[in-house]
C-alpha cells in the first residue's frame, strides 16, 4: 500500500502501488492528465468512477486514482459483484464546461474504448450522467448514463437505500433492535444521498438532525422531513444514536473521534477514516463503525445490477437489503476476533478476492 502523500514522482508511485496497471495519458488539447488505474481484475473487469478535479501536481492525481481504485476492489468484492476495482482521474487545469467539456469526454471515451472492456466506468466527483452519455457515444463500457441514453440514471437513491439498511443493521447490533422509532440520527450532508436518506429515516420514526456546510440546504431538507437543522460545527458534539456522514471524506480522525457523542457511525461518504488509527479509536470507544465501502455500495450495486447483470427492480431491492446482512456478518466477525469493524471488512474483502 502507498503510505505517504510526500511521494512525488510517477516512478515512486508506480513502484509502491499494489495494483495491476496504470495508464497515463496526456490530453494535449485541454492540458489535462488522465490516469486510469486498474487495481485488480481478479474477480472481473475493473469497475470504478471517473473523477475530474484540479490537483496541485499530476502525481497527486495519480495517487488519488491509485488509492481510489484499491478501495473499489474491496468495495466490489465485498458487494459480491463479478468486478474488479479501478478508477480514473482526469486532472484538469480548471473544470471545463460546454463544448470544451464535451470534446474532452469524447476523447476520454475513445481512451476507455481502447481498453476493450477491462475498465468500465461511471460518474464520480465533478462528473455526472450527462458526461457518461457523452462517453457512451464512444464506448459501451460506461455505466450510469441517463435513462434516455439507455442507462439507469442517478445511483444516489440506491446508495441511500443501502445506507438505510446499513443503519438498521447497526442499530440491531448495538441495541438488539433495528427499530428506528425514537432513535436520533444526525445526517451530515443534505445532498443527493443525504436528502433521501433523511426522508427514509424520518418516515421510519427516527428524529433526524440535518447538517450541511450550506445551512440553507440543511434547513430545506430538515423542513421537508420534519426534522431540525444542526449547525455543521456541532455535528461531533451532538448526542445521538447514529452519526451518518454523507458529505465529505476524512471526518473520522484521531482528533474528531474523541469528540463523538454517538453509538454508531454509518453513512455514505467515501474514505471516512482520515487515518487508520481512527478505526482503532472508534473500536476502543465502543462506537460501532459501518465501513464506508460496505455501507455505501448501493449505487454501484444498482448500476452494475441493472445495466450489466440484467437485474429486475426487485432483485436490486434484495441486493440492497443484503448490505445490512453483510454488515451484520462483519460486526459478528469483529466481535468474535476482538478487531475493529474496518479490519474485519478488510479480511472479508481479502477472502472474497482469494476465493475461486
Ligand atoms: P452531493 O454533492 O449531492 O451532496 C453533498 C452535500 O454535502 C452537499 O449538500 C454539500 O453542500 C455538503 N457538504 C460539502 N462539504 C461539506 C462539509 N465539509 N460539511 C458538511 N457538508 C458538506 O453528494 P452525494 O452524491 O450526496 O454524496 C455524498 C457522499 O457520499 C460523498 O462523499 C460521495 O463520495 C459519497 N458517495 C456517494 C454515492 C452516490 O451514489 N451519490 C455513492 C457512494 C458514495
Amino acid at each position: 500500500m502507498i503510505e505517504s502523500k510526500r511521494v512525488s514522482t510517477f516512478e515512486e508511485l508506480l513502484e509502491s502501488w499494489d495494483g495491476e496497471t496504470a495508464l497515463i495519458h496526456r490530453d494535449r488539447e485541454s492540458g489535462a492528465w488522465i490516469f486510469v488505474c486498474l487495481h485488480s481484475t481478479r474477480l472481473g473487469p475493473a469497475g470504478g468512477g471517473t473523477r475530474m478535479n484540479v490537483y496541485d501536481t499530476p502525481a497527486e492525481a495519480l495517487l488519488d486514482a491509485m488509492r481510489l481504485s484499491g478501495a473499489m476492489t474491496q468495495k466490489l468484492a465485498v458487494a459480491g459483484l463479478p468486478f474488479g476495482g479501478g478508477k480514473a482521474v482526469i486532472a484538469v487545469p480548471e473544470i471545463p464546461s460546454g463544448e470544451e467539456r464535451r470534446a474532452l469526454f469524447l476523447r476520454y471515451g475513445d481512451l476507455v474504448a481502447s481498453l476493450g472492456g477491462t475498465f468500465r466506468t461511471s460518474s464520480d466527483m465533478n462528473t455526472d450522467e450527462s458526461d457518461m452519455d457523452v462517453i457512451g457515444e464512444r464506448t459501451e463500457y460506461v455505466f450510469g448514463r441517463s435513462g434516455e441514453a439507455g442507462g439507469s440514471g442517478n445511483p444516489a437513491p440506491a446508495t441511500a437505500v443501502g445506507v438505510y439498511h446499513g443503519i438498521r443493521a447497526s442499530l440491531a447490533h448495538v441495541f438488539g433492535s433495528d427499530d428506528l422509532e425514537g432513535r436520533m440520527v444526525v445526517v451530515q450532508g443534505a445532498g443527493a444521498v443525504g436528502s433521501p436518506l433523511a426522508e427514509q429515516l424520518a418516515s421510519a420514526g427516527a428524529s433526524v438532525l440535518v447538517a450541511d456546510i450550506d445551512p440553507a440546504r440543511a434547513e430545506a431538507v430538515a423542513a421537508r422531513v420534519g426534522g431540525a437543522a444542526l449547525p455543521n460545527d456541532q455535528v461531533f458534539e451532538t448526542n445521538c444514536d447514529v452519526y451518518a456522514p454523507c458529505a465529505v471524506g476524512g471526518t473520522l480522525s484521531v482528533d474528531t473521534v474523541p469528540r463523538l457523542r454517538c453509538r454508531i457511525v454509518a453513512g455514505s461518504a467515501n474514505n471516512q477514516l482520515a487515518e487508520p488509527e481512527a478505526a482503532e479509536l472508534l473500536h476502543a470507544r465502543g462506537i460501532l463503525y459501518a465501513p464506508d465501502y460496505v455501507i455505501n455500495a448501493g449505487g454501484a450495486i444498482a448500476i452494475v445490477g441493472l445495466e450489466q447483470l440484467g437485474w429486475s427492480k426487485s432483485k436490486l431491492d434484495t441486493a440492497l437489503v443484503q448490505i445490512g446482512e453483510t454488515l451484520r456478518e462483519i460486526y459478528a466477525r469483529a466481535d468474535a476476533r476482538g478487531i475493529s469493524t474496518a479490519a474485519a471488512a478488510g479480511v472479508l474483502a481479502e477472502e472474497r478476492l482469494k476465493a475461486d
Side-chain angles (χ1 to χ4, degrees), residues 51 68 75 87 124 248-250 268-272 292-293 296:
R51 170 171 293 199
L68 292 163
K75 178 182 211 156
K87 202 84 179 187
D124 197 86
V248 285
S268 74
N270 276 313
N271 306 321
Q272 290 171 32
D292 46 15
Y293 61 84
N296 75 10

Side-chain angles (χ1 to χ4, degrees), residues 210-224:
V210 187
D212 199 287
I213 200 164
D214 177 348
R217 280 185 168 222
E219 296 278 356
V221 171
R224 192 163 51 77

